[in-house]
mmCIF file of all heavy atoms in Angstrom:
data_model
loop_
_atom_site.group_PDB
_atom_site.id
_atom_site.type_symbol
_atom_site.label_atom_id
_atom_site.label_comp_id
_atom_site.label_asym_id
_atom_site.label_seq_id
_atom_site.Cartn_x
_atom_site.Cartn_y
_atom_site.Cartn_z
ATOM 1 N N LEU A 14 13.140 184.856 150.888
ATOM 2 C CA LEU A 14 12.335 185.332 151.928
ATOM 3 C C LEU A 14 11.143 186.074 151.382
ATOM 4 O O LEU A 14 9.941 185.975 151.874
ATOM 5 C CB LEU A 14 13.136 186.252 152.822
ATOM 6 C CG LEU A 14 12.432 186.669 154.235
ATOM 7 C CD1 LEU A 14 12.036 185.342 155.018
ATOM 8 C CD2 LEU A 14 13.412 187.523 155.022
ATOM 9 N N ALA A 15 11.328 186.913 150.286
ATOM 10 C CA ALA A 15 10.104 187.651 149.623
ATOM 11 C C ALA A 15 9.155 186.630 149.237
ATOM 12 O O ALA A 15 8.008 186.965 149.298
ATOM 13 C CB ALA A 15 10.695 188.546 148.628
ATOM 14 N N ALA A 16 9.706 185.563 148.614
ATOM 15 C CA ALA A 16 8.634 184.578 148.126
ATOM 16 C C ALA A 16 7.808 183.922 149.165
ATOM 17 O O ALA A 16 6.622 183.768 149.129
ATOM 18 C CB ALA A 16 9.395 183.518 147.170
ATOM 19 N N ILE A 17 8.433 183.695 150.343
ATOM 20 C CA ILE A 17 7.682 183.188 151.515
ATOM 21 C C ILE A 17 6.777 184.172 151.969
ATOM 22 O O ILE A 17 5.667 183.801 152.299
ATOM 23 C CB ILE A 17 8.794 182.795 152.532
ATOM 24 C CG1 ILE A 17 9.621 181.435 152.214
ATOM 25 C CG2 ILE A 17 8.006 182.465 154.026
ATOM 26 C CD1 ILE A 17 10.798 181.227 153.096
ATOM 27 N N TYR A 18 7.146 185.328 152.040
ATOM 28 C CA TYR A 18 6.221 186.337 152.552
ATOM 29 C C TYR A 18 5.079 186.617 151.720
ATOM 30 O O TYR A 18 3.881 186.707 152.025
ATOM 31 C CB TYR A 18 7.051 187.738 152.742
ATOM 32 C CG TYR A 18 6.089 188.799 153.205
ATOM 33 C CD1 TYR A 18 5.715 188.890 154.557
ATOM 34 C CD2 TYR A 18 5.670 189.849 152.418
ATOM 35 C CE1 TYR A 18 4.935 189.944 155.181
ATOM 36 C CE2 TYR A 18 4.836 190.893 152.936
ATOM 37 C CZ TYR A 18 4.481 190.890 154.206
ATOM 38 O OH TYR A 18 3.685 191.883 154.700
ATOM 39 N N ARG A 19 5.238 186.527 150.428
ATOM 40 C CA ARG A 19 4.137 186.747 149.344
ATOM 41 C C ARG A 19 3.206 185.581 149.548
ATOM 42 O O ARG A 19 1.993 185.718 149.374
ATOM 43 C CB ARG A 19 4.635 186.891 147.992
ATOM 44 C CG ARG A 19 5.313 188.148 147.809
ATOM 45 C CD ARG A 19 5.804 188.450 146.338
ATOM 46 N NE ARG A 19 6.591 189.551 146.176
ATOM 47 C CZ ARG A 19 6.190 190.855 146.127
ATOM 48 N NH1 ARG A 19 4.878 191.058 146.201
ATOM 49 N NH2 ARG A 19 7.043 191.865 145.992
ATOM 50 N N ALA A 20 3.732 184.286 149.811
ATOM 51 C CA ALA A 20 2.840 183.139 150.016
ATOM 52 C C ALA A 20 2.080 183.297 151.266
ATOM 53 O O ALA A 20 0.928 182.876 151.345
ATOM 54 C CB ALA A 20 3.776 181.871 149.949
ATOM 55 N N TYR A 21 2.824 183.860 152.330
ATOM 56 C CA TYR A 21 1.957 184.154 153.639
ATOM 57 C C TYR A 21 0.837 185.030 153.314
ATOM 58 O O TYR A 21 -0.221 184.829 153.809
ATOM 59 C CB TYR A 21 3.025 184.687 154.514
ATOM 60 C CG TYR A 21 2.548 185.487 155.747
ATOM 61 C CD1 TYR A 21 1.877 184.770 156.786
ATOM 62 C CD2 TYR A 21 2.490 186.873 155.781
ATOM 63 C CE1 TYR A 21 1.239 185.490 157.744
ATOM 64 C CE2 TYR A 21 2.049 187.570 156.789
ATOM 65 C CZ TYR A 21 1.281 186.882 157.818
ATOM 66 O OH TYR A 21 0.787 187.514 158.930
ATOM 67 N N ILE A 22 1.050 186.112 152.691
ATOM 68 C CA ILE A 22 0.020 187.138 152.311
ATOM 69 C C ILE A 22 -1.137 186.456 151.612
ATOM 70 O O ILE A 22 -2.346 186.613 151.934
ATOM 71 C CB ILE A 22 0.537 188.342 151.707
ATOM 72 C CG1 ILE A 22 1.552 189.120 152.516
ATOM 73 C CG2 ILE A 22 -0.607 189.292 151.136
ATOM 74 C CD1 ILE A 22 0.787 189.750 153.890
ATOM 75 N N ALA A 23 -0.770 185.633 150.535
ATOM 76 C CA ALA A 23 -1.799 184.876 149.846
ATOM 77 C C ALA A 23 -2.582 183.933 150.746
ATOM 78 O O ALA A 23 -3.776 183.727 150.694
ATOM 79 C CB ALA A 23 -1.165 184.055 148.720
ATOM 80 N N CYS A 24 -1.937 183.268 151.761
ATOM 81 C CA CYS A 24 -2.505 182.454 152.654
ATOM 82 C C CYS A 24 -3.568 183.241 153.603
ATOM 83 O O CYS A 24 -4.633 182.792 153.800
ATOM 84 C CB CYS A 24 -1.447 181.742 153.628
ATOM 85 S SG CYS A 24 -2.178 180.796 155.013
ATOM 86 N N LEU A 25 -3.205 184.370 154.001
ATOM 87 C CA LEU A 25 -4.088 185.329 154.738
ATOM 88 C C LEU A 25 -5.318 185.581 153.935
ATOM 89 O O LEU A 25 -6.451 185.509 154.324
ATOM 90 C CB LEU A 25 -3.386 186.572 155.238
ATOM 91 C CG LEU A 25 -2.150 186.422 156.097
ATOM 92 C CD1 LEU A 25 -1.738 187.861 156.522
ATOM 93 C CD2 LEU A 25 -2.492 185.531 157.286
ATOM 94 N N ASN A 26 -4.995 186.138 152.663
ATOM 95 C CA ASN A 26 -6.112 186.506 151.865
ATOM 96 C C ASN A 26 -7.065 185.367 151.476
ATOM 97 O O ASN A 26 -8.358 185.631 151.338
ATOM 98 C CB ASN A 26 -5.551 187.263 150.665
ATOM 99 C CG ASN A 26 -5.260 188.641 150.870
ATOM 100 O OD1 ASN A 26 -5.550 189.216 151.868
ATOM 101 N ND2 ASN A 26 -4.219 189.154 150.111
#
Side-chain angles (χ1 to χ4, degrees):
L14 192 57
I17 290 170
Y18 182 71
R19 290 182 190 284
Y21 160 73
I22 294 296
C24 177
L25 297 185
N26 286 332

